[in-house]
Amino acid sequence: LRTRVFGRMAPDDKVQCVRQHMNLGIVTAMCGDGGNDCGALRTAHAGIALSDAEASIVSPFTSHSKTVMSVVDILREGRS
């Protein structure tokens, strides 16, 4: 599994980054915990909210543990 992690980006740059990876045919996930992540969470193939705030409203997946390990859980579920 090849993974790239990007951080410290403006909200519009997050959306652009997700779109660019998707345009390359890469299945793309996005994790976020705040309102500034909503656009990228909504755009990604798998948006994972790590909070109960605004991000959880637009995200198809919401983690109650608020940890990045939630991504591993979702990958396991998706491969079942």
Side-chain angles (χ1 to χ4, degrees):
L1 182 65
R2 284 183 30 175
T3 305
R4 290 185 180 184
V5 177
F6 296 86
R8 304 285 181 206
M9 300 174 74
D12 290 338
D13 293 338
K14 294 175 187 182
V15 173
Q16 182 179 1
C17 182
V18 168
R19 284 188 180 145
Q20 285 178 342
H21 282 86
M22 291 174 72
N23 289 340
L24 292 172
I26 299 170
V27 176
T28 306
M30 167 67 188
C31 301
D33 64 352
N36 63 336
D37 300 314
C38 290
L41 288 168
R42 191 176 18 238
T43 303
H45 290 111
I48 306 157
L50 300 177
S51 75
D52 296 325
E54 301 96 345
S56 66
I57 295 169
V58 300
S59 178
F61 303 101
T62 301
S63 169
H64 296 292
S65 63
K66 297 172 183 59
T67 173
V68 179
M69 284 302 295
S70 302
V71 176
V72 174
D73 296 335
I74 288 175
L75 289 173
R76 283 187 186 141
E77 286 290 321
R79 291 182 174 230
S80 296

